Amino acid sequence: MKVLLAHSFYMALDAKQAAIKEPFPPLGTLIAAGQLRQEGFEVDVFDAMVAAGPQDFKTHLAQSKPEVVVFFEDNFNWLSKMCLAEMRQACFEMLAEVKARGLWSVVVGSDASDFPELFLKAGADYVIKGEGEWRLIELLKSRQTGPGVFTLSDGLVFGSPPEKPVHDLSRFALPAWDLVDLARYRAIWHQNGRPFTLNMMTTRGCPYRCNWCAKPIHGRRYDIRPANQVVAEMQNLKAQYAVEAIWFSDDIFGLNKKWLASFCAGIQSAFGSDPVPYKIQIRADLIQEETADWLARSGCREAWMGVESGSQKILDAMDKDLNLTQIENATRLLKKNGIRPCFFLQFGYPGEEAQDIHATWQMVKRLKPEAIGISVAYPLPNTPFFEKVKDLIENQDHWQISGDMQPIFKATYPRAFYPLLYRYIHLLFCQLKGKLPLRDRLRFWQLKRSLRTFQIEGIPF
Ligand code: SF4
């Protein structure tokens, strides 16, 4: 059977990502492709990330002539986890095309796991909730529903909950990198003056309980690939595809100290003193003297931490299980070991007042991370945070693209305040680093003036 695997995250449809120009191939889709190939399916991939839009999918579909199309989203990329409306619409358009050609289709991804009915009514024959690789193989072979597979019956959604995930990650195939145009990715990274970076994962899931964080695919587990398998994959990416850097897209890298020590030893024996530089997401409370040293020696050059807020009150309200001293220590240790500390910040969480926003900026000023990424609190379905604010939701629409920064629920300040705050803090940070471009100086003062019109006491705009 010939299967066309596709996904629906189009960099071209997301103005923010199109401007950043740091695309990653769809890792989750490519692992599923590798898995299907191992089972004897003929597999082709349509890669939306570097396509112009759903019209490219139509052309690809006509040429590929598959028997079934599987929309398998990259569940390792936070952009797919955002479930953006623009990408959902793109998926619907592609589903309509599949239907028009009389083919059958399956959808696997965060958005479809949360809202199977929408995807089924848009033309999908099946939606697989949760981790999809193994269930997909069963479905393609038998075309019978099973745990986690949802379909429409007399217009109603029908299906049963997913089974437990597969914990032994060594059973998953390696990504089928040969099915995407890596030369194109390399060219984009190089044109942007950046090293050619590919994405890998070492774990699935996260055991922490931050109450706004949705985990529709991998849940609150933590499974790790054998360290030697990860090192071998890095060697292969370097030898075969001349990769120059790696982004480990795990929610939490290196939570298990024993694993991290053995990973570091494996890297040193495979690469000596010239490891492939990599960046990670990690919790601040996991950075200690020993872990920072292992990370540095194994090639970690950048660590993004979900710092969220400089106000302990807000961290506690988020169930972040993190304190400000841990953030400070982690930042210091990373810098000491030559790793760039970077902060994810979040504004607009319920109860956040002017003094909390001010505390967040003061923390940034004091600790001077290398970079910051800002988001605004967003109630994703099936999270405790969603339950908390569901009666305050004013706008039922999802965010269209990743640059949307207006709260969809009634936050402390007016909705229009937050996108301005987002841009202003970014420029303030550039100024702090002495890198505020000349062209942005006027914009900076305009933003400051606009923020003052909200007359919010306690933030020195
Ligand atoms: S630590 Fe990160 S991935 Fe884990 S629950 Fe918190 S925000 Fe989510």
Side-chain angles (χ1 to χ4, degrees):
M1 178 191 279
K2 181 165 185 185
V3 183
L4 173 61
L5 276 172
H7 68 100
S8 63
F9 193 91
Y10 288 88
M11 180 171 70
L13 299 185
D14 189 304
K16 183 179 172 189
Q17 301 309 319
I20 293 173
K21 291 198 195 88
E22 293 186 357
F24 288 99
L27 180 64
T29 317
L30 296 180
I31 292 173
Q35 199 80 16
L36 291 182
R37 253 194 334 207
Q38 265 181 19
E39 292 290 324
F41 292 95
E42 186 186 349
V43 183
D44 182 20
V45 167
F46 169 75
D47 183 10
M49 183 61 84
V50 287
Q55 68 276 16
D56 282 7
F57 171 75
K58 294 177 189 173
T59 314
H60 192 112
L61 183 62
Q63 288 163 356
S64 179
K65 300 192 174 47
E67 289 160 76
V68 53
V69 180
V70 179
F71 294 91
F72 203 111
E73 300 298 335
D74 179 9
N75 298 312
F76 297 105
N77 192 330
W78 57 273
L79 289 166
S80 296
K81 294 181 201 169
M82 286 181 82
C83 307
L84 298 165
E86 190 75 33
M87 309 311 159
R88 178 192 280 177
Q89 191 49 43
C91 190
F92 289 177
E93 264 185 59
M94 295 192 285
L95 279 167
E97 186 65 21
V98 174
K99 194 123 192 111
R101 287 175 179 270
L103 304 170
W104 62 288
S105 60
V106 185
V107 183
V108 189
S110 299
D111 201 12
S113 283
D114 287 335
F115 300 102
E117 186 172 0
L118 295 181
F119 286 80
L120 292 167
K121 291 196 167 158
D125 293 284
Y126 302 98
V127 163
I128 300 180
K129 280 194 184 194
E131 190 170 88
E133 291 91 338
W134 303 99
R135 184 48 55 192
L136 174 64
I137 290 165
E138 295 298 317
L139 178 62
L140 294 178
K141 283 181 177 169
S142 67
R143 220 176 154 178
Q144 301 283 316
T145 58
V149 181
F150 288 73
T151 188
L152 282 182
S153 177
D154 294 330
L156 296 174
V157 180
F158 169 83
S160 56
E163 290 167 312
K164 287 202 166 37
V166 170
H167 292 291
D168 178 2
L169 301 192
S170 67
R171 289 181 56 206
F172 288 88
L174 290 173
W177 295 111
D178 58 300
L179 294 179
V180 288
D181 186 356
L182 289 183
R184 179 108 181 259
Y185 281 92
R186 185 183 292 106
I188 297 173
W189 282 86
H190 283 173
Q191 278 158 15
N192 204 17
R194 313 277 291 159
F196 172 43
T197 309
L198 282 179
N199 38 348
M200 283 180 64
M201 64 87 188
T202 71
T203 61
R204 289 187 179 210
C206 167
Y208 291 92
R209 58 172 190 142
C210 312
N211 59 32
W212 42 265
C213 182
K215 304 184 181 81
I217 303 298
H218 299 302
R220 213 175 147 185
R221 62 200 262 221
Y222 193 75
D223 294 315
I224 322 179
R225 294 172 65 199
N228 60 350
Q229 204 185 74
V230 176
V231 173
E233 191 182 349
M234 290 171 86
Q235 283 180 295
N236 183 46
L237 289 183
K238 189 167 180 187
Q240 205 171 340
Y241 301 112
V243 69
E244 293 158 340
I246 283 168
W247 168 46
F248 283 110
S249 58
D250 310 42
D251 287 337
I252 306 290
F253 184 88
L255 167 60
N256 181 316
K257 275 177 92 170
K258 209 167 139 199
W259 182 92
L260 190 56
S262 116
F263 172 71
C264 178
I267 289 285
Q268 290 192 308
S269 120
F271 295 95
S273 58
D274 187 25
V276 182
Y278 68 87
K279 71 170 178 175
I280 55 169
Q281 279 106 231
I282 193 167
R283 283 177 59 95
D285 52 350
L286 298 177
I287 307 284
Q288 291 144 8
E289 293 277 358
E290 212 173 26
T291 44
D293 176 55
W294 288 330
L295 287 169
R297 283 195 286 127
S298 58
C300 182
R301 298 291 173 260
E302 191 167 298
W304 282 84
M305 298 178 286
V307 158
E308 321 301 351
S309 175
S311 158
Q312 192 62 51
K313 177 188 95 180
I314 298 301
L315 289 175
D316 294 344
M318 291 173 167
D319 294 325
K320 192 75 201 171
D321 297 334
L322 191 65
N323 66 52
L324 298 170
T325 310
Q326 289 166 325
I327 296 169
E328 190 155 345
N329 282 340
T331 308
R332 179 180 52 77
L333 285 170
L334 290 171
K335 284 185 182 177
K336 183 178 145 195
N337 283 277
I339 301 171
R340 294 185 290 274
C342 305
F343 291 179
F344 287 122
L345 304 173
Q346 189 176 141
F347 290 116
Y349 195 85
E352 185 190 57
E353 307 280 344
Q355 62 269 29
D356 303 305
I357 296 173
H358 185 55
T360 300
W361 174 247
Q362 289 306 313
M363 174 184 68
V364 170
K365 240 168 94 175
R366 199 174 64 255
L367 302 184
K368 295 191 179 55
E370 188 66 25
I372 57 171
I374 302 175
S375 66
V376 167
Y378 189 98
L380 282 163
N382 302 317
T383 59
F385 175 43
F386 179 87
E387 290 305 314
K388 206 173 188 174
V389 299
K390 67 179 180 204
D391 296 332
L392 300 173
I393 291 180
E394 294 174 321
N395 176 1
Q396 292 296 337
D397 294 337
H398 272 299
W399 282 346
Q400 295 292 317
I401 63 166
S402 65
D404 284 350
M405 289 292 150
Q406 289 205 348
I408 64 166
F409 61 97
K410 191 166 171 29
T412 309
Y413 301 113
R415 295 180 69 207
F417 168 74
Y418 292 94
L420 297 178
L421 179 70
Y422 159 80
R423 282 185 223 125
Y424 177 71
I425 296 284
H426 264 301
L427 294 184
L428 201 55
F429 183 71
C430 291
Q431 194 188 50
L432 177 73
K433 307 283 286 180
K435 291 180 187 164
L436 183 63
L438 207 55
R439 65 174 188 277
D440 283 335
R441 291 203 183 152
L442 178 62
R443 180 84 192 112
F444 179 67
W445 291 106
Q446 283 169 338
L447 278 168
K448 201 167 172 138
R449 225 180 15 244
S450 307
L451 282 163
R452 281 188 188 140
T453 63
F454 290 93
Q455 299 185 325
I456 297 171
E457 295 288 321
I459 310 179
F461 294 128

